[in-house]
Amino acid sequence: MAAPEERTFDDRDGWIWFDGELVPWRDAKVHVLTHALHYASSVFEGQRGYGGVVFKLREHSERLKQSARLLGFELPWTVEEIDAACNEVVKANGWTDCYMRPVAWRGSESMGVAPGKTKPHLAIAGWEWGKYYGDKLAQEGIRMDIAPWRRPAPYTAPAESKAAGLYMICTLSKQHAEQHGYHDALMFDWRGRVAEATGANVFFVADGTLHTPTPDCFLDGITRRTIMDLARKRGVEVVERAIWPEELESFQQMFLTGTAAEVTPVQSAGPWKFEVGDLTRQLAKDYDDLVYGRIPNA
Ligand code: PMP
């Protein structure tokens, strides 16, 4: 028998919360004629538990409900109920440090572009997980490709929703990056401005000041906002603005922020090189201290 970590995601032991109850892992299934599978009518969250406590759980549950609303469906569970369900999953599986994946989607009642009478569903799974890029790269920094795809304009797609459909171009970009020997890709937006990575936001350091693109066509990440608060608490100036690729030349440090990526230093993005500097390391440590409750909430 394969070791648990070698098993596919549908072949593991544990409990998944599925439409109101905990079900054995392998029984958490959907039918092939499910609206979400054909038309991407699905939204999800990525959240981490640290020492058994889900970091910023309320914000994730609120974003999940809002993501569904932006796709035109309402989840019949309150934010409090979603929070409680997530906590139940952590407890039932006995996790301390984990990554969690609540996912909501339209069901099988209609098959066509029109959502029709599709009912909303919600499942909450998760797994024990370490650093997104592994321990070594979390220290050394990752190397990034420039994505061949761009973030769409907000009038092309509901950019504030963590919608599965928006990840098509992220998967394509990440695949392209990995095929070319990179760890991830930096995505520009439809105007050609610097936007984000395929699953994380981006920050730059120029002479001790933090710069990050204005999130007007991509997720304003929960980690992104947390890092801005942590930096300001340290007296670091944070500038949210439009950033053009030519400017990357002038930045000394670059890092990613995200629930999965946490704070990950970047050593290069396309032709631009960066150092893993003190401010990046400091903010990575502050974030770690915060998620483990060693410093009060930002
Ligand atoms: N952008 C994208 C495309 C993402 O997938 C994520 C991860 N959810 C983020 C940004 C960062 O968001 P957060 O900090 O809320 O995890």
Side-chain angles (χ1 to χ4, degrees), residues 67-108:
S67 289
R69 266 184 212 129
L70 290 165
L71 260 59
F73 65 104
E74 185 68 35
L75 294 182
W77 294 276
T78 62
V79 166
E80 290 76 13
E81 286 168 337
I82 299 170
D83 282 357
C86 291
N87 288 327
E88 215 183 317
V89 173
V90 174
K91 207 165 155 221
N93 289 289
W95 293 325
T96 44
D97 290 355
C98 63
Y99 177 79
M100 295 185 77
R101 188 44 75 79
V103 56
W105 69 96
R106 289 187 191 273
S108 304

Side-chain angles (χ1 to χ4, degrees), residues 60 63 162 167 196-201 219 221-224 257-259:
H60 284 283
R63 186 168 69 183
K162 195 166 163 59
Y167 283 85
E196 59 169 355
T198 62
N201 292 116
L219 276 190
I222 293 168
T223 321
R224 175 185 185 278
T257 64
T259 298

